[in-house]
Amino acid sequence: MQTPAPVEYARATSVGDAIALLEKHGDEARLLAGGHSLLPMMKLRLARPEILIDLNDLDELRGIRIEGDEIVVGAMVTHAEILDSPVLAEHYSIFREAEKVIADPIVRNKGTIGGSMCQADPSEDLSAVGSALKGSVIIQGSGGKRSLALREFHEGPYETKVGDAEILTEVRFPIRPGAGSAYEKVERRVGDWPVASAGAFVVVAGGVVKDCGIGLTAVGAEHFCAPDAEAFLIGKAPTEENLSAAAKLAADACTPYADQRGPVDYKLHLAHELTLRVLRRAVASSQGA
Amino acid sequence: MTAVEEVPLSAAGNPIGFGSMRRVEDARFVRGQGNYVDDVNLPGMLHSAILRSPHAHARIVSIDASAAEALPGVVAVITGKILEGIPRPSLLGDNFAWMPTLSYDTQAVLATDKVRFQGQEVAYVIAESRYIAKDALELIDVDYEVLEPVMDAKMALDAGAPIIRDDKGQTDNSITDVHGNKTWESGNAESTAAAIAAAKADPNCVVVTQEIMYPRVHPAPMETCGSVSYLDKVTGQLTMYTTTQAPHAHRTVYAMVAGLPEQKIRIISPDIGGGFGNKVPVYPGYVLSVIGTIVTGKPVKWIEDRNENLTSTGFARDYHMTASIAATKEGKILAVDVDVLADHGAFNGVAQPTNYPAGFFNIFSGSYDYPDAHCKVTPVYTNKAPGGVAYACSFRITEAAYVIERVVDCLAQELQMDPAELRLKNLLRPEQFPYTSPTGWEYDSGQYEKTMRVAMEMAGYDELRREQAEKRTRGEYMGIGISFFTEGVGAGPRRDMDILGLGMADGIELRVHPTGKAQLRLSVQSQGQGHETTFAQIVAHELGIPPEDIEVLHGDTDNTPFGLGTYGSRSTPVSGAAASVVARKVRDRARIVAAAALECAPDDLDWELGRWYVKGDRERGKTIAEIALLSHSSLELPEGVEGHLDATAVYNPPSLTYPYGCYICVVDVDPGTGQVKVRRFIAVDDCGTRINPMIVEGQVHGGLADGVGMALMELIAFDTDGNNLGGSFMDYLLPTAVECPDWELGETVTPSPHHPIGAKGVGESATVGSPAAVVNAVIDALSPFGVRHADMPLTPANVWRAIQGNAIRVDMAIE
Ligand SMILES: Cc1cc2nc3c(=O)[nH]c(=O)nc-3n(C[C@H](O)[C@H](O)[C@H](O)COP(=O)(O)OP(=O)(O)OC[C@H]3O[C@@H](n4cnc5c(N)ncnc54)[C@H](O)[C@@H]3O)c2cc1C
């Protein structure tokens, strides 16, 4: 049994209450969502907040709904809910494909999209999904709410633009009629973090790529995306040659480091290979739709 | 003697003898009613925690524990300096800071001079709760002077390498065993070298040489190690609940280490959540909990967390092997030579019979008929955790089976011969048994070709090869891997095999109560093998008492006779034989009692299961239950029976038993990502008589999962700074059901001629045999890319790199 350092605990009754608690306790406080990143770090004493502010009673942060031309996912929506959501599945198969390979059912039952985004682990799968779909987040503090593109959200590994006394409340994804999407991950074993993952959406119309987004994780892509590859594809026919060239550009956007999951050359290869594979499938699905 | 006889069922529906029946112990496990060491809570019990070194190699300049001592709830902080001051009245060193290992080396209980691996024990805190103890660890201030570590075993013997064991006055990092040897050789060096040289010179022969590493892995039992110790100062009795696979051997070791009288030590090994060899050694933590109770006068609990278990307790393997195989171009194997660099970590803590410092590695000549074999093992110290010979390895037969099965496949590739055909050409033939191997092992029995043909038949081998050829034309890469392994399990014999001077024979005790129900007291201890079920079945087979009427007791030294414990697949070969022998003693005694009751001579009686009857008159007889009651009655008992039927026995095996098997693995490899999918796995085991086929299958299932894990993902590597890169289950990957196919099991039954019921051990067969099958399958899939070998684990990165002709060096951090 692992033993975290002493910690206080508070259960927020509303988003406003949570923000007030954050303001009161300063940077020694940490929000607790699913706890699947924070609690392991605390047990290993790599994180030692003085107080946990538990968000689990906040129904206002739950639920998946459509608002205008966006899908809105509450910060406390769990991986399991994303996996099972018919709304998300209807618009983007990338969600199911990604969630199926994120962690294991136990983690998915508690881990949340808000926690995943705010943890900002350089290998987070949902960060790649969010960047691929060019989503945005709503961040709330005592001064009110602000919206931020996910591609501007990350400041670096484990760092985001969410301030000390702020909460991420929603993640939003634009709906794109006719889009096909896909996700691919290479892992050493089921439930492991990715060696590399790639996700993409593509809208093909009139024989050319009208819109696309490419997300990558665990390979050191800035903001988990590959804008040059996307720009290259727009307006072009989705031929194998063009997709491969785009995948190459995507790999060029990556600066992975070596670890026990793999050496740099392999991760760069995967960035290329997986991008190519998701682009192929996203194209096929868009054309089929 | 065989398992196929018709076995009657008891009233409870259990076989009165051999056959599948549900495990008795599962009734408590599935209800969550198991009793593990961490479930033991004694009145007034204190908790404890160990401060471990963050460095692989560093001098301890000073330790300041004053802040920890001042933390409310802390009872004591113990350092190596304090232990050095406690004199020890024993032959094994004069103070408590050091203890002997199972290989006659010394190991620090708490570091005094230097730390020698990351995770080494530095200080010990005893406190009122586990939380307080862990909080206190953070308040201990240790000043380290960091030294350069030796992390690459290949550089350990280089001139100028940092000296790890300066405590022993060493001037290099070589290891000298108790016999004074620095290398361990076996077989005939000269004839093997000559055979290989001749083959090299002969245009009709080939010699293939391959470097093959079996990397460091960890047994990783679900239950980590721990103990609850209590020394009653009034009676002087030390009671220790502890995670041990060998309670009796541990009792003797504690008596020797602590200088406590052995009759006052009681070791209780309750339910154990997996051992795999991890719970054979005596760890500093166990000793510290004893010191803790001596110091505080209270019961002291010590339980490792996962990270501690993975980084500080007995690892397995870590063998760098170079194998050369010589053969004719027709595929007749002529000779095999293996050179090994063995990484033993910072202390030589290997658990194996004293005369076998490289374990049974020298059984590497395998299942084939050739005259010349030789191996040389050079052990070295490195700045890594000590241990070795753990993880279901049958004393390094895992390494042996892996190296021969891998290099035979290399040979097949070189000869462009089907690996099945090559094996069939060389397998030992039934008439060669008992067979003496070139390195001196006497294999007891086997029908190797038959077993291999069963496996090939089940796999549909020819059809698989056709499918493979067809897929290759489409750019799809499937692979078929074969492994044929032979193990030698069931140590002793006592004349040749001991640990710390304790001969490897097992005692046993059978009590038959007046109502005919029985208690069997074992020296061995179950960590999940199902002893409580199978040992009752052995007695049932011999005496006809239903298994549900036989209580099997084990794991408590006060209630069981002496024996060396459960590891190396020795329970069935040694204690299983003892169970049979002791039951036969009871049967013989029952015969005398029955004869007295039936007023005839014992020789006039015949035995049928559960009953003695008068020859030629089946109606006149006495059941074992009736005889049990008679033996306690006023019946006048003749010479040879003093009263009741109870008996004891000690079984000293005449030799090892040699289970074997043929495994075939089918994989699909995605060359674009390097991912491997194990599609099928066929395992045909021959472990002689099967006492409980369902339990045998369970053992095989577990071992196959182990094999898939080692082949594809399990690894403890280190970076050059000495950091252990496998210290959590996020880093040390164990396989899950998703990576395991539906196992396809088969059997042949070739009883051991010298075991009373013909049984051989099977607990480790699958772990020993399966890694080579998986690796051979992956390499087979990759052979169109010109790949001949890549080391385990075959992670996606490693497979992809192998295709690029640049497989990963697995023992060091990936760069
Ligand atoms: C065994 C295991 C395997 C895993 N494998 C994968 C994997 O393969 N791929 C993958 O992507 N992830 C994986 N994860 C991570 C998993 O997805 C986590 O659930 C997720 O990273 C964090 O979500 P959480 O809700 O548990 O966050 P928590 O752990 O509760 O919080 C994480 C951080 O975010 C902060 N935070 C949480 N919510 C908010 C909010 N609304 N506003 C501001 N800050 C907030 C917290 O204060 C904390 O700092 C794995 C985790 C485990 C334990």
Side-chain angles (χ1 to χ4, degrees), chain A residues 30-31 33-38 79 111-112 124-125 168 185 193:
Chain A
R30 287 290 276 278
L31 297 172
H36 269 297
S37 289
L38 185 51
H79 291 298
T112 65
E124 204 82 48
D125 282 296
L168 184 154
K185 168 174 174 172
W193 288 79

Side-chain angles (χ1 to χ4, degrees), chain B residues 459-650:
Chain B
Y461 187 76
D462 296 338
E463 182 47 42
L464 285 172
R465 285 288 173 206
R466 268 195 292 280
E467 180 190 347
Q468 179 184 44
E470 190 252 328
K471 284 206 159 133
R472 276 187 187 162
T473 64
R474 283 188 273 133
E476 289 173 33
Y477 296 88
M478 75 177 263
I480 306 152
I482 305 172
S483 152
F484 197 109
F485 66 93
T486 300
E487 288 185 278
V489 302
R494 179 165 58 195
R495 65 175 183 279
D496 188 34
M497 295 181 189
D498 71 274
I499 290 183
L500 288 182
L502 302 170
M504 301 180 82
D506 285 355
I508 200 156
E509 200 180 313
L510 178 59
R511 298 183 185 172
V512 184
H513 298 327
T515 55
K517 318 273 173 181
Q519 276 191 341
L520 184 70
R521 292 162 187 265
L522 308 181
S523 67
V524 286
Q525 197 283 340
S526 169
Q527 311 110 46
Q529 294 90 340
H531 289 20
E532 290 166 35
T533 309
T534 49
F535 279 81
Q537 289 184 264
I538 295 172
V539 174
H541 170 81
E542 299 291 353
L543 287 179
I545 302 175
E548 63 269 21
D549 290 345
I550 302 160
E551 193 71 16
V552 175
L553 303 172
H554 63 105
D556 180 342
T557 56
D558 268 11
N559 291 333
T560 56
F562 193 89
L564 263 268
T566 294
Y567 43 84
S569 296
R570 65 186 297 283
S571 283
T572 297
V574 186
S575 274
S580 176
V581 167
V582 79
R584 289 177 191 179
K585 279 192 183 177
V586 167
R587 196 166 72 197
D588 289 346
R589 195 169 299 185
R591 184 182 205 168
I592 301 170
V593 176
L598 295 165
E599 296 177 342
C600 62
D603 284 350
D604 294 338
L605 297 178
D606 262 346
W607 173 256
E608 64 180 349
L609 189 63
R611 188 170 177 268
W612 285 109
Y613 66 90
V614 179
K615 278 186 180 143
D617 184 2
R618 254 177 206 268
E619 295 304 301
R620 272 182 67 211
K622 294 280 178 201
T623 65
I624 208 79
E626 289 165 342
I627 300 168
L629 194 55
L630 284 166
S631 74
H632 286 269
S633 73
S634 56
L635 178 74
E636 187 81 29
L637 292 175
E639 196 94 355
V641 190
E642 290 152 8
H644 62 67
L645 298 177
D646 303 356
T648 63
V650 176

Side-chain angles (χ1 to χ4, degrees), chain A residues 30-38 55 75 79 101-104 107 110-112 114-116 118-119 123-126 162 166-168 185 191-194, chain B residues 730:
Chain A
R30 287 290 276 278
L31 297 172
L32 177 68
H36 269 297
S37 289
L38 185 51
L55 301 180
H79 291 298
V101 292
I102 291 177
D104 51 50
V107 173
K110 284 300 278 183
T112 65
S116 296
C118 294
Q119 179 64 24
S123 299
E124 204 82 48
D125 282 296
L126 281 186
V162 181
E166 286 188 316
I167 294 182
L168 184 154
K185 168 174 174 172
D192 188 24
W193 288 79
Chain B
M730 293 294 282

Side-chain angles (χ1 to χ4, degrees), chain B residues 59-144:
Chain B
R59 195 163 298 289
I60 297 177
V61 179
S62 64
I63 302 179
D64 179 0
S66 52
E69 282 163 341
L71 186 73
V74 170
V75 178
V77 180
I78 294 169
T79 60
K81 272 265 168 318
I82 294 173
L83 294 186
E84 257 179 338
I86 308 177
R88 173 169 50 199
S90 93
L91 303 171
L92 296 162
D94 56 4
N95 70 68
F96 274 96
W98 293 83
M99 64 176 194
T101 71
L102 297 182
S103 288
Y104 293 92
D105 195 1
T106 47
Q107 173 172 2
V109 176
L110 289 175
T112 50
D113 52 340
K114 284 202 312 194
V115 289
R116 293 176 169 84
F117 68 93
Q118 186 186 56
Q120 189 180 336
E121 298 78 3
V122 173
Y124 183 61
V125 173
I126 305 161
E128 283 162 12
S129 78
R130 184 175 176 88
Y131 279 88
I132 295 171
K134 290 270 186 182
D135 291 347
L137 294 185
E138 298 187 318
L139 299 174
I140 300 173
D141 189 12
V142 186
D143 187 6
Y144 292 104

